[in-house]
């Protein structure tokens, strides 16, 4: 998969990792649709801007009508706030599942026929090491990312026949405002050697996609995945 002659749609391109991916795609000479719930906040020179809320089916359908030449779909947008599963606010837990799981699924269902028409192409879902390891204070997000991992594996199987490459980017820790705010609120210790700038992670993601990798890991998520082979760790203390 070469990106310099690809047409790529990125969700959540107004900030954080999605913004860095959209900018890097323009740099690699792809045609880019940068999308966001509030398109006026998108600052990606060279990209076409589309309003898109992935949890609103009519918004998803409208984006699919506008971007019928897409051959790479990057599902980055997600709510990362969900709190804890047992004591957290249920609306917030639903919102996190709605965007990570159902929103991503709505995008894939709307764009799968477009990808097929355009030669197969690729889907890149942005997951998280939280799919494999959870932290107190955000267990609902981790559960939603686990569901999105399962979704990604299922969709890979279903779309293989139409020649669509389905890949997962599994970041550990990205120094976006959202993570930095969460860490300062909860006192979470951010190991500096595992923390990536969004721009660096964007390059890792797109290099992996171009190489045909189906799971794109960083240092931290690689270690977390390897630890899955061991017994589950019970919380201590
Ligand atoms: N930061 C990390 O450490 C980290 C680690 C692993 C994985 N990730 C994953 O990487 C991705 C980006 O994370 P980030 O840190 O860049 O997040 P972020 O800065 O909080 O940005 C989230 C983006 O998703 C958009 N979004 C949320 N719900 C949406 C919806 N219903 N429709 C359309 N857009 C929606 C937000 O739009 P608004 O501005 O309108 O809210 C924003 O553009 C997420 O999938 C996240 O789970 C992040």
């Amino acid at each position: 998969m070469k990106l310099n002659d690809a047409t790529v749609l990125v969700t959540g391109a107004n900030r954080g990792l999605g913004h860095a991916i959209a900018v890097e795609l323009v740099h690699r000479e792809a045609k880019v649709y940068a999308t966001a719930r509030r398109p006026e906040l998108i600052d990606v020179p060279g990209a076409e801007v589309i309003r898109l809320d992935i949890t609103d089916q009519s918004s998803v359908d409208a984006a699919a009508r506008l971007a019928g030449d897409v051959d790479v779909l990057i599902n980055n947008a997600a709510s990362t706030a969900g709190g804890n599963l047992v004591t957290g606010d249920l609306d917030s837990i639903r919102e996190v599942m709605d965007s990570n799981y159902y929103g991503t699924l709505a995008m894939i269902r709307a764009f799968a026929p477009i990808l097929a028409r355009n030669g197969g192409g690729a889907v890149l879902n942005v997951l998280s090491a939280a799919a494999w390891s959870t932290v107190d204070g955000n267990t609902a997000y981790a559960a939603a990312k686990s569901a999105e991992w399962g979704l990604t594996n299922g969709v890979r199987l279903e779309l293989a026949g139409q020649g669509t490459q389905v890949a997962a980017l599994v970041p550990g820790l990205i120094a976006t405002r959202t993570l930095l705010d969460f860490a300062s609120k909860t006192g979470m210790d951010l190991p500096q050697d595992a923390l990536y700038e969004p721009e660096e992670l964007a390059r890792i993601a797109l290099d992996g996609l171009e190489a045909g990798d189906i799971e794109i890991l960083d240092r931290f998520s690689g270690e977390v995945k390897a630890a899955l082979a061991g017994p589950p760790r019970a919380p201590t203390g």
Side-chain angles (χ1 to χ4, degrees), residues 12-18 36-38 52-55 76-80 99-100 126-129 141 145 171-174 176 178-179:
N14 56 308
R15 60 187 169 109
L17 179 63
R37 291 190 279 205
R38 286 169 297 162
L52 172 60
D53 179 339
I54 61 167
T55 61
N76 160 81
S79 164
T80 58
S99 58
N100 282 282
V126 180
L127 307 182
S128 166
Y141 168 71
K145 284 297 188 193
L173 298 165
I174 317 168
T176 61
T178 298
L179 177 71

Side-chain angles (χ1 to χ4, degrees), residues 98-172:
D98 232 9
S99 58
N100 282 282
Y101 184 81
Y102 289 107
T104 299
L105 181 57
M107 288 298 293
I108 292 171
R109 288 168 62 101
F111 278 86
I114 293 173
L115 298 177
R117 257 197 328 271
N118 296 333
V123 174
L124 177 67
N125 287 346
V126 180
L127 307 182
S128 166
W132 301 324
S133 165
T134 191
V135 292
D136 192 18
N138 213 3
T139 56
Y141 168 71
K145 284 297 188 193
S146 298
E148 195 185 358
W149 183 42
L151 176 160
T152 304
N153 294 334
V155 165
R156 180 178 303 122
L157 194 72
E158 292 183 40
L159 297 188
Q162 67 172 46
T164 302
Q165 167 194 342
V166 178
L169 171 68
V170 192

Side-chain angles (χ1 to χ4, degrees), residues 1-236:
M1 157 68 48
K2 282 286 148 221
L3 291 169
N4 60 350
D5 54 6
T7 301
V8 189
L9 185 143
V10 186
T11 64
N14 56 308
R15 60 187 169 109
L17 179 63
H19 176 260
I21 289 176
V23 169
E24 179 63 19
L25 282 163
V26 172
H27 176 70
R28 293 186 189 209
E29 298 179 352
K31 175 178 172 186
V32 181
Y33 291 108
T35 74
R37 291 190 279 205
R38 286 169 297 162
E40 65 278 13
L41 299 182
I42 296 177
D43 179 15
V44 182
E48 285 186 35
V49 168
I50 295 180
R51 177 190 303 278
L52 172 60
D53 179 339
I54 61 167
T55 61
D56 174 348
Q57 188 63 49
S58 62
S59 177
V60 170
D61 292 341
R65 280 194 300 275
L66 286 170
D69 55 346
V70 160
D71 52 15
V72 179
L73 169 65
I74 300 188
N75 288 310
N76 160 81
S79 164
T80 58
N84 272 344
L85 285 161
V86 179
T87 55
D89 174 59
L90 198 53
D91 287 341
S92 182
I93 295 169
R94 283 190 205 285
E95 182 195 325
V96 95
M97 187 60 107
D98 232 9
S99 58
N100 282 282
Y101 184 81
Y102 289 107
T104 299
L105 181 57
M107 288 298 293
I108 292 171
R109 288 168 62 101
F111 278 86
I114 293 173
L115 298 177
R117 257 197 328 271
N118 296 333
V123 174
L124 177 67
N125 287 346
V126 180
L127 307 182
S128 166
W132 301 324
S133 165
T134 191
V135 292
D136 192 18
N138 213 3
T139 56
Y141 168 71
K145 284 297 188 193
S146 298
E148 195 185 358
W149 183 42
L151 176 160
T152 304
N153 294 334
V155 165
R156 180 178 303 122
L157 194 72
E158 292 183 40
L159 297 188
Q162 67 172 46
T164 302
Q165 167 194 342
V166 178
L169 171 68
V170 192
L173 298 165
I174 317 168
T176 61
R177 179 53 42 214
T178 298
L179 177 71
L180 299 177
D181 286 350
F182 178 75
S184 82
K185 230 187 300 166
T186 59
M188 180 188 179
D189 185 31
L190 291 175
Q192 291 306 309
D193 59 340
L195 193 61
Y196 288 82
E197 289 302 321
E199 294 75 19
E200 188 182 4
L201 222 282
R203 287 192 293 275
I204 290 171
L206 300 183
D207 288 349
L209 192 61
E210 289 198 300
D213 296 345
I214 57 172
E215 222 163 60
I216 304 163
L217 308 178
D218 62 22
R219 290 187 295 274
F220 185 78
S221 61
E223 282 174 21
V224 171
K225 189 169 187 197
L228 280 180
R233 280 162 298 160
T236 52

